[in-house]
Amino acid sequence: IGIGLDDAQAYRPFRRTTKGKRIAVIGATQWHDGKLVSAWTAGPGKPGLASAKDVPRLLRAVRAARETSDTVVVFGAGPIGLCTVAAASFKGERVIIAEPDPARRELAAQLGAEHGLDPTSADFLERVQELTSGRGADVVVEASGKLPAMAATLLVAGYGGRIVNVGINVGDEYPARLGLIVEKQLSLRG
């Protein structure tokens, strides 16, 4: 991690799946001596270390690693949903907030959501598929307590996805495609 025969190797993330979560770690050094930075930093065709002082290169590596991180769709940007957005974003996950209120979507963006979608829009499911390159979400958190959102968790979750229902709605009924739990091999928690 953080060393290689050239800059592509030095900035390449170390990837592992731990407890069902895909993680990527990028190592970079921060030399305090300005004279040694260029001598020790990897470059095209030049062995060396990944340098935190080369901010544009380091940001490119981080962005590329995030493309293959878990994608989390959070339904509802109330207090619980916003806390979920902040925590998932902090952990390096790609977060999509599903919230009909534009002001709440904006607040979620300030807390780290990369994309904000209106779950009541006709193209919502299509947009989630587009943003996940057709895979669907790795993790879906339902924090709104709205029955249509609870049913939609099954639709936006990708194969092998994990669904967590924390929104409260007890006793109401709503149609849902329960066969998707088996078809997609989903894990559900409440």
Side-chain angles (χ1 to χ4, degrees), residues 159-160 177-186:
Y159 182 83
R177 293 183 52 201
L178 298 179
L180 291 174
I181 296 169
V182 174
E183 183 180 325
K184 294 182 176 183
Q185 297 187 12
L186 301 175

Side-chain angles (χ1 to χ4, degrees), residues 76-87:
I80 295 170
L82 291 173
C83 286
T84 302
V85 167

Side-chain angles (χ1 to χ4, degrees), residues 88-103:
S89 178
F90 179 76
K91 291 178 74 174
E93 312 295 356
R94 296 180 64 229
V95 180
I96 300 169
I97 186 69
E99 168 62 51
D101 183 331

Side-chain angles (χ1 to χ4, degrees), residues 12-27:
R12 182 177 298 139
F14 173 78
R15 299 178 189 280
R16 282 291 179 263
T17 300
T18 305
K19 295 183 181 179
K21 295 191 64 103
R22 292 183 307 225
I23 62 168
V25 177
I26 298 172

Side-chain angles (χ1 to χ4, degrees), residues 145-177:
K146 305 288 185 205
L147 295 175
M150 291 177 170
T153 62
L154 300 170
L155 301 173
V156 301
Y159 182 83
R162 300 173 308 278
I163 298 173
V164 180
N165 281 311
V166 292
I168 299 171
N169 190 316
V170 180
D172 292 333
E173 294 180 15
Y174 193 84
R177 293 183 52 201

Side-chain angles (χ1 to χ4, degrees), residues 45-122:
K46 178 181 173 249
L49 302 171
S51 173
K53 298 223 179 211
D54 186 353
V55 174
R57 180 65 180 95
L58 185 57
L59 284 175
R60 280 199 319 273
V62 169
R63 287 184 181 123
R66 284 194 75 180
E67 289 300 315
T68 57
S69 296
D70 280 343
T71 299
V72 179
V73 173
V74 179
F75 281 90
I80 295 170
L82 291 173
C83 286
T84 302
V85 167
S89 178
F90 179 76
K91 291 178 74 174
E93 312 295 356
R94 296 180 64 229
V95 180
I96 300 169
I97 186 69
E99 168 62 51
D101 183 331
R104 286 186 175 203
R105 284 196 306 267
E106 176 57 35
L107 186 54
Q110 292 174 22
L111 293 173
E114 292 183 26
H115 302 281
L117 302 177
D118 181 347
T120 64
S121 69

